[in-house]
Every structure is written in structure tokens, then in C-alpha cells.
């Protein structure tokens, strides 16, 4: 939890795409190396979180079910892992 909060020190606006509410952020001064994404699938009452810390990506889900990612989040997460 602390790592997620730390990695949301600098956040973009809360946005919505096709029912997915999301926010993306970075650790203070850590753009590109320490980031996080939170996606809320409102219709299915589900959360999904990605955290990039020291080059390692971790993914957390509230419920074991598919969460469609907003296109902006797909691009942002893809930038964490070049070549994927």
C-alpha cells in the first residue's frame, strides 16, 4: 500500500473510458521509473493496480476477473516494458 501511495505522488487527472475510471501517477521525480496505474471497473465492482518500482512491474487485482484497460493506460504500461 505504501509503495502505491508513494508512486501516486504526482498524478494525472481522473479519467473515464468505456466505464473504466482510472488514474495514473508517478513517484515524485520518478517519471518513467516509478509509476502506478489504478483502474476501477465500476460495472463489475473491481479494482486493478499496476506498480512499476525499480524496473519491476507488479499487478494486483481485487477479483480474479478480466478488467479491460483504458487505451491510455495500455500505452503507459507498455512504456514500462519496452519490447513487450
Amino acid at each position: 500500500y505504501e509503495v502505491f501511495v508513494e508512486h501516486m505522488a504526482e498524478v494525472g487527472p481522473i479519467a473515464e473510458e468505456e466505464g473504466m475510471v482510472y488514474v495514473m501517477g508517478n513517484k515524485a521525480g520518478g517519471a518513467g521509473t516509478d509509476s502506478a496505474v489504478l483502474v476501477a471497473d465500476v460495472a463489475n465492482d473491481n479494482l486493478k493496480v499496476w506498480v512499476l518500482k525499480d524496473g519491476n512491474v507488479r499487478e494486483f487485482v481485487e477479483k480474479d476477473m478480466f478488467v479491460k484497460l483504458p487505451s491510455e493506460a495500455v500505452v503507459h504500461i507498455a512504456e514500462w516494458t519496452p519490447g513487450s
Side-chain angles (χ1 to χ4, degrees), residues 4-82:
F4 173 75
V5 171
E6 183 178 275
H7 285 60
M8 294 298 269
E10 298 173 351
V11 297
I14 296 173
E16 184 273 335
E17 181 181 305
E18 296 183 31
M20 301 296 151
V21 178
Y22 66 99
V23 64
M24 300 184 300
N26 297 299
K27 182 177 177 179
T33 59
D34 294 292
S35 300
V37 175
L38 168 68
V39 177
D41 178 350
V42 178
N44 293 303
D45 187 33
N46 196 16
L47 296 175
K48 195 162 192 173
V49 174
W50 290 262
V51 176
L52 171 68
K53 181 179 183 204
D54 301 326
N56 298 306
V57 178
R58 297 209 45 207
E59 183 178 320
F60 305 90
V61 293
E62 179 182 20
K63 297 177 183 173
D64 187 21
M65 62 188 307
F66 177 76
V67 174
K68 182 179 180 192
L69 293 178
S71 56
E72 185 180 17
V74 170
V75 170
H76 189 66
I77 293 168
E79 291 172 351
W80 298 352
T81 53

